Amino acid sequence: MKTSPIADKNPVSLYQTAFGLAVFTIVYNLLEGLVSTYFGVQDESLALFGFGADSFIEVISGLGIAHMVLRIRRNPQSPRDPFERTALKVTGFAFYALVITLVTTSLYNIWTGHRPLTTVVGIVISVISIAVMWALVAWKRRVGRRLDSEPILADANCTLVCIYMSVILLASSGIFELTGFAYADSIGSLGLAYFAFREGRECFEKANSEKYCGCD
């Protein structure tokens, strides 16, 4: 029976793969954040701008994940260290700040009837993000199962939230582009705020315990 390339790797190679996936996630989120916030401002789309801001916050989270992989490679049973806890708290505060910004601006846009100029870029970015994040979830899960690593499997489950947020961006952008429904962008922004709040709350829960993720 033919085995997968990952199944044939030893633990050292698997940890290298896990670290490489963490670094890729950081770089991808950084690029996604730059493109999304730029076009979010240009197209006056709050949902796209908020999605980009979330990507920047995920960069901070990703630094903690990369550090975590290096830590558990040295000692799989080691507890979460101060660097990871600090990264989680900073990430949590950033998510809460994003929630306040998105909710406040969304309600204002609904009140004034603000409409984005276009949401085409939001559709394109969300489709790309769904594809990339889905592949990352699958790959991280395969590595996590091979290593029997709860932290890596938890990270894979938490990456699912990025897919959910991408789906919200796709739905709100698509609805506006197809129907011209004025409040689609603002409602999508409130949906992003909901998941950002959940992520922020979970960051503080993890920072104050040995819990890895409740996303599953």
Side-chain angles (χ1 to χ4, degrees):
M1 182 174 64
K2 191 174 182 180
T3 58
S4 67
I6 287 182
D8 295 329
K9 292 185 178 180
N10 58 42
V12 174
S13 296
L14 287 168
Y15 277 118
Q16 289 175 344
T17 300
F19 182 73
L21 291 173
V23 172
F24 175 83
T25 304
I26 293 170
V27 174
Y28 176 81
N29 277 312
L30 182 60
L31 294 175
E32 183 178 74
L34 290 170
V35 174
S36 298
T37 52
Y38 173 79
F39 282 103
V41 172
Q42 291 296 310
D43 298 341
E44 299 183 13
S45 170
L46 178 61
L48 182 56
F49 178 84
F51 184 79
D54 174 80
S55 297
F56 284 132
I57 298 173
E58 295 292 351
V59 170
I60 303 172
S61 175
L63 292 173
I65 296 298
H67 178 83
M68 178 196 74
V69 172
L70 294 177
R71 171 178 61 79
I72 62 176
R73 181 174 65 178
R74 292 191 296 268
N75 181 5
Q77 305 304 319
S78 60
R80 184 175 283 117
D81 64 21
F83 180 90
E84 292 171 55
R85 295 185 191 277
T86 300
L88 284 167
K89 291 177 181 178
V90 172
T91 304
F93 279 118
F95 274 128
Y96 282 158
L98 177 61
V99 170
I100 294 172
T101 301
L102 287 177
V103 171
T104 303
T105 310
S106 294
L107 294 178
Y108 176 79
N109 285 350
I110 291 173
W111 176 261
T112 60
H114 173 78
R115 299 160 58 97
L117 300 177
T118 177
T119 54
V120 171
V121 177
I123 294 172
V124 174
I125 290 177
S126 59
V127 169
I128 294 173
S129 180
I130 290 170
V132 171
M133 291 301 157
W134 192 268
L136 278 174
V137 169
W139 206 344
K140 288 178 179 180
R141 281 179 171 174
R142 292 172 67 190
V143 173
R145 290 191 186 107
R146 290 298 302 165
L147 288 169
D148 192 23
S149 172
E150 180 186 353
I152 294 176
L153 287 172
D155 176 40
N157 288 335
C158 288
T159 304
L160 283 172
V161 178
C162 297
I163 297 177
Y164 302 153
M165 298 181 84
S166 299
V167 170
I168 290 175
L169 177 63
L170 176 60
S172 63
S173 299
I175 289 172
F176 177 80
E177 205 62 35
L178 292 173
T179 69
F181 179 52
Y183 303 126
D185 188 69
S186 295
I187 293 173
S189 300
L190 291 174
L192 295 178
Y194 167 75
F195 280 106
F197 176 79
R198 285 185 55 184
E199 288 197 273
R201 181 180 62 188
E202 186 170 305
C203 283
F204 284 110
E205 289 176 355
K206 290 190 289 186
N208 296 317
S209 69
E210 291 303 317
K211 174 184 176 184
Y212 280 107
C213 187
C215 304
D216 55 348

